[in-house]
Amino acid sequence: MLNPGDWTAVIMAAGGGSRMTDLTNQYPKALLPVGRHPMIWYPIRMLEKSGFSDIIIITRQSWQDQIQYSLTKNSPQIQAKLDIVTLSDEEDFGTADSLRLVADKIKNTAVVVSCDLISDCDFAELISVHRKHNSSLTIMLSQLPSAIVSETSVPGQKSKQKQTSEKISIGFDSSEMDRIIFWKSQIDMIEDEHVTFTRKFLESFPNTRIQSSWTDCHVYIINKFIIKYLQERDNISSLSMELIPTVVKKQMSAHIKDRPKEDTGLSSPGGDLKDDKKKDLVDFAAEDNENLKSGVKFLSLTSDSFGLSDDVPQKNLIGCYVYRQTEGFCVRANTISAYFEACKQIPRLMPKFLMSSPKKNDQFQNVPQSTTIKPKSQVGTDCMLGENVSIGEKVSIKKSVIGTNCKIGDKVKITNSVIMDHVDIQESSNITNCIIANSVSIGIKCELSNCIVAQNQSVSTMSSHTNEVLCQLMEVNFE
């Protein structure tokens, strides 16, 4: 079990969803609905099931009330105490900037999770890996579901469907495959004509294995000394692009008191910050190690520190390891395709996010009692409907998620689609492979295929649209 005094859970929910602006220009990404709950509900439940009773949520100031309302009114199953910390809307904060803001709230170890993670993994296994290796930094990796990797049909304009890869090129120690010794994004690998390795690095790791099939889930367990280092380095803005490459590089460095400015240890490639008069990361690691010297580790005959004087270089002060999710479902819903896939999978996954008691899970129904369905209508077992949905006669709904307070007219067909809240779809319309946002009205005999319909839009009767984003353009008057 977790000791609440040692671990602090932090959810990053300040991102604007720049890769899915067709949906996030009117919504905070964290509140996009996935099934019956906002996206951020899922990482909260993952943390709760792992034993966290206090969770820090970092978001924008203008979103605070929306998030607070959504998580308290619409998601009553949340039992953890939520501490919502806000960032100024006027400033551009990266993930490292956000973590630096709450550094004083973190006691010993931070578990940092992105608000867009939808996964059925057990965080207890991730925590177990961190403890097993006495890790300084542990990263969760996964391989995207084949449905997302393949070229499936994604709603919206085809020209916008190409997404930037978030794959990471990672080097593993061949003798200890859970340990990371190289970290670089594939974007950086493409931009750099050459990747250089120092001679000492190659001598120490002649059989380094570089893999590019893993995706960074943006779930990190970070020890306090790294956060102390981050507090002094305000030029680090991103966790994945700046802090992690630095920590991975520095883990092979040796620490010597009053050492010269030049690095005294091995260097692994992958982004570095020039040293200045501030303390180096290894200094913070050494200070953290000093606190252990009076404990069991220092007294043990098998300890690396036993019998060594303070003037002897201390190596392996920093260790970076990974936890791989190889089974189940895991996706970061930060693109249209990933979000669409998460929504389609949630009817199957939902019981895993509910209370652990099997008896209580049996109460979960994909079609709630408040929904009314008229005769000769069919709702597939792979669908999920929200509360207070009205379905007319001879309606067919397959592989779709329907939000709350929706009205579906007679002879409507909905296939492989995500329908959000308060949507009115009138008689004989056909909706295929679409995302329909809140409060949309769709007229009689409309044909929509592979479309995204933005919030509060009205689709004219008998209109037909394919691979379009339907939204009202803002009018600008020049005087």
Side-chain angles (χ1 to χ4, degrees):
M1 293 296 294
L2 287 174
N3 181 350
D6 294 334
W7 298 75
T8 305
V10 180
I11 296 180
M12 298 289 183
S18 59
R19 295 179 181 148
M20 48 197 311
T21 53
D22 291 333
L23 295 177
T24 57
N25 58 357
Q26 295 169 310
Y27 274 104
K29 181 179 70 172
L31 294 185
L32 281 174
V34 179
R36 295 175 185 162
H37 301 282
M39 185 185 295
I40 193 175
W41 182 85
Y42 295 91
I44 290 175
R45 287 296 297 132
M46 294 170 68
L47 290 166
E48 281 188 318
K49 293 182 70 173
S50 300
F52 288 93
S53 58
D54 295 273
I55 300 172
I56 298 172
I57 297 175
I58 304 176
T59 189
R60 296 185 184 183
Q61 191 171 20
S62 59
W63 296 347
Q64 180 180 8
D65 292 341
Q66 290 175 271
I67 289 178
Q68 184 76 50
Y69 176 83
S70 181
L71 293 178
T72 55
K73 300 296 183 181
N74 299 339
S75 301
Q77 292 169 323
I78 293 177
Q79 298 176 358
K81 179 182 177 182
L82 305 179
D83 179 9
I84 299 180
V85 177
T86 61
L87 308 174
S88 170
D89 292 344
E90 283 72 34
E91 296 186 50
D92 185 17
F93 284 87
T95 50
D97 299 318
S98 300
L99 187 60
R100 190 182 295 112
L101 182 69
V102 299
D104 292 338
K105 293 176 177 283
I106 297 170
K107 296 176 181 178
N108 290 327
T109 306
V111 180
V112 181
V113 186
S114 176
C115 72
D116 53 24
L117 179 71
I118 310 291
S119 171
D120 59 0
C121 83
D122 186 351
F123 275 173
E125 297 180 9
L126 168 70
I127 292 168
S128 177
V129 169
H130 187 80
R131 285 172 163 166
K132 172 186 173 182
H133 297 289
N134 192 27
S135 178
S136 307
L137 170 68
T138 304
I139 302 167
M140 178 175 164
L141 303 177
S142 183
Q143 292 175 320
L144 291 176
S146 58
I148 295 177
V149 176
S150 63
E151 300 253 342
T152 55
S153 181
V154 180
Q157 298 175 10
K158 290 185 177 181
S159 61
K160 293 185 178 182
Q161 291 175 9
K162 293 182 179 180
Q163 305 291 350
T164 304
S165 172
E166 285 195 61
K167 287 288 190 358
I168 302 294
S169 293
I170 306 172
F172 298 98
D173 183 351
S174 57
S175 63
E176 194 177 5
M177 281 298 291
D178 286 341
R179 188 175 187 185
I180 311 173
I181 53 178
F182 173 82
W183 178 278
K184 203 163 192 177
S185 71
Q186 287 191 4
I187 296 175
D188 291 337
M189 294 282 285
I190 294 172
E191 291 177 352
D192 293 344
E193 294 183 0
H194 304 284
V195 177
T196 59
F197 295 83
T198 66
R199 179 177 178 179
K200 287 185 178 181
F201 180 88
L202 294 175
E203 288 175 349
S204 299
F205 304 104
N207 297 315
T208 299
R209 181 173 295 181
I210 306 292
Q211 296 183 353
S212 300
S213 60
W214 296 99
T215 298
D216 176 14
C217 297
H218 287 220
V219 178
Y220 313 121
I221 301 182
I222 307 174
N223 280 10
K224 182 67 174 182
F225 77 84
I226 298 176
I227 297 172
K228 289 180 179 178
Y229 169 79
L230 182 63
Q231 285 182 282
E232 290 203 2
R233 300 286 174 144
D234 55 9
N235 58 331
I236 299 178
S237 183
S238 167
L239 292 178
S240 62
M241 301 296 289
E242 296 174 272
L243 181 65
I244 289 178
T246 299
V247 177
V248 170
K249 176 174 182 176
K250 293 294 184 179
Q251 68 180 321
M252 276 75 76
S253 297
H255 172 74
I256 305 176
K257 285 189 175 182
D258 301 323
R259 73 181 187 281
K261 286 185 179 180
E262 58 269 16
D263 191 21
T264 58
L266 302 175
S267 292
S268 70
D272 188 22
L273 297 172
K274 291 184 179 180
D275 212 346
D276 52 25
K277 294 182 180 180
K278 298 178 181 178
K279 288 192 296 185
D280 190 82
L281 179 61
V282 183
D283 298 319
F284 286 96
E287 289 178 0
D288 187 66
N289 189 61
E290 283 289 327
N291 296 331
L292 300 176
K293 281 191 173 182
S294 58
V296 175
K297 179 180 177 181
F298 181 69
L299 297 176
S300 172
L301 291 173
T302 60
S303 170
D304 295 336
S305 303
F306 182 80
L308 297 181
S309 69
D310 290 339
D311 295 329
V312 176
Q314 301 176 48
K315 295 184 178 181
N316 300 321
L317 293 171
I318 303 170
C320 301
Y321 294 85
V322 298
Y323 163 74
R324 300 175 178 87
Q325 182 180 357
T326 56
E327 297 179 348
F329 181 82
C330 181
V331 65
R332 283 193 64 216
N334 64 339
T335 65
I336 295 291
S337 59
Y339 171 74
F340 195 47
E341 182 67 19
C343 289
K344 291 187 293 182
Q345 294 292 337
I346 211 63
R348 174 180 63 85
L349 297 172
M350 181 57 71
K352 296 185 179 182
F353 291 95
L354 300 178
M355 303 301 293
S356 59
S357 169
K359 184 176 180 180
K360 291 185 178 181
N361 275 348
D362 289 342
Q363 297 176 4
F364 171 76
Q365 295 178 333
N366 282 5
V367 181
Q369 294 181 354
S370 61
T371 289
T372 60
I373 303 177
K374 289 186 177 181
K376 299 182 181 181
S377 290
Q378 296 181 340
V379 177
T381 57
D382 50 4
C383 297
M384 178 186 292
L385 275 60
E387 299 285 347
N388 302 313
V389 173
S390 173
I391 297 177
E393 292 185 355
K394 298 181 181 181
V395 171
S396 173
I397 303 177
K398 301 177 181 178
K399 298 181 179 179
S400 298
V401 176
I402 312 294
T404 61
N405 300 298
C406 291
K407 184 178 180 181
I408 313 298
D410 297 340
K411 300 179 183 180
V412 167
K413 293 183 180 179
I414 301 174
T415 305
N416 203 47
S417 295
V418 175
I419 313 296
M420 298 186 190
D421 300 338
H422 302 280
V423 173
D424 183 5
I425 303 177
Q426 298 183 30
E427 180 180 347
S428 300
S429 289
N430 189 357
I431 313 297
T432 304
N433 213 67
C434 293
I435 299 176
I436 312 296
N438 282 356
S439 304
V440 166
S441 177
I442 297 176
I444 298 172
K445 293 185 179 181
C446 289
E447 295 283 338
L448 300 180
S449 178
N450 299 301
C451 290
I452 296 174
V453 183
Q455 186 174 5
N456 298 315
Q457 299 302 299
S458 294
V459 181
S460 301
T461 295
M462 300 184 68
S463 59
S464 178
H465 302 275
T466 302
N467 289 117
E468 294 183 46
V469 177
L470 306 180
C471 61
Q472 184 177 0
L473 297 177
M474 181 175 61
E475 296 183 0
V476 180
N477 296 322
F478 296 94
E479 296 182 355

